[in-house]
Amino acid sequence: MWCTRSAAERVYLTRMLISMSIYVLVTAIVSWIFAHRHPQGALVYLLAVLPALPIFAVIASLGKYLVEEKDEFVRTVLVQCSLWATAVVLAFTTCLGSLQKYVPSLNKSPGPQNYWVFVVWCLAFAAAQPLVRRRYK
Amino acid sequence: MKNRLRVLRAEKNWSQADLAERLEVSRQSVNAIETGKFDPSLPLAFRLARLFEMTLEQIFIDDGST
């Protein structure tokens, strides 16, 4: 069954859950501080970058999973999904950049925030899994 | 790469899950190797050979495709 999880995958999912929980908590706290305490100076930069740190942990946990997973077939699938996700993000951001450059109405709009790049990568990574696995059935 | 894994497994009366457990890989790995859609690494191929007490050439068929 596809749902059988290896030890490495269970560790990876635990790390992901912890990192994402910290992300939600830190984001909530930072948002509250910006809304109610109005920080100034260097503290603004420090607080603003805090929610990104748990996302670094998410990226690192995926990297560690790739190293720790003993099943070479699973590793192959993961690497291919990562490549697909990276390709989607590169195509998406390139297309968006081109649209913003040449379409006057889009040129003036700020467009999506950069942190959406990781969200798009994750969505593409998840979407690629069944497609990549289907190739090997 | 083509191989005789499905036949060899059937001779032992093992399911894909049984073989996967013996190799310490996922059942999907066994299925992908059996169908020739995934070529195992050399260490995994040798583990297969040891398990079936055969040489690599007796399990895998070199059709010159890769």
Side-chain angles (χ1 to χ4, degrees):
Chain A
M1 292 192 327
W2 291 110
C3 60
T4 307
R5 299 193 195 290
S6 66
E9 187 176 4
R10 286 197 296 272
V11 171
Y12 160 67
L13 290 172
T14 305
R15 285 176 182 148
M16 283 279 286
L17 190 66
I18 292 169
S19 300
M20 290 312 293
S21 300
I22 293 171
Y23 170 75
V24 170
L25 187 67
V26 169
T27 301
I29 292 169
V30 167
S31 298
W32 186 88
I33 291 170
F34 272 103
H36 296 93
R37 298 287 180 213
H38 312 292
Q40 306 277 318
L43 189 61
V44 171
Y45 292 90
L46 183 70
L47 286 171
V49 87
L50 276 181
L53 299 182
I55 299 300
F56 293 174
V58 170
I59 297 165
S61 65
L62 180 63
K64 278 185 81 70
Y65 176 40
L66 273 171
V67 172
E68 290 168 358
E69 176 59 65
K70 299 269 191 292
D71 192 320
E72 60 191 55
F73 172 71
V74 173
R75 279 203 310 269
T76 300
V77 169
L78 284 172
V79 168
Q80 288 188 23
C81 290
S82 302
L83 289 173
W84 271 108
T86 304
V88 166
V89 164
L90 289 174
F92 176 75
T93 50
T94 303
C95 191
L96 190 65
S98 193
L99 282 167
Q100 286 173 329
K101 183 174 182 181
Y102 294 111
V103 178
S105 59
L106 292 176
N107 195 317
K108 293 180 183 107
S109 71
Q113 298 289 324
N114 287 341
Y115 58 72
W116 279 100
V117 168
F118 182 68
V119 176
V120 172
W121 191 94
C122 288
L123 291 174
F125 181 76
Q129 297 240 5
L131 299 174
V132 169
R133 286 181 185 275
R134 199 172 63 180
R135 291 178 54 200
Y136 293 103
K137 280 188 178 174
Chain B
M1 180 175 274
K2 288 179 185 171
N3 61 75
R4 298 179 53 233
L5 208 53
R6 192 182 295 273
V7 175
L8 296 171
R9 180 173 59 76
E11 283 173 2
K12 296 262 188 188
N13 209 20
W14 290 342
S15 65
Q16 286 187 340
D18 293 333
L19 179 56
E21 196 179 329
R22 284 171 168 83
L23 290 170
E24 296 179 335
V25 298
S26 61
R27 191 195 61 77
Q28 296 74 43
S29 302
V30 171
N31 183 63
I33 295 167
E34 274 190 5
T35 53
K37 291 177 178 173
F38 178 74
D39 292 334
S41 66
L42 209 47
L44 182 54
F46 273 113
R47 260 155 62 200
L48 274 164
R50 274 198 301 273
L51 189 63
F52 287 106
E53 296 174 324
M54 289 181 167
T55 63
L56 290 180
E57 289 83 356
Q58 287 172 308
I59 300 175
F60 295 97
I61 301 153
D62 182 13
D63 55 5
S65 61
T66 53

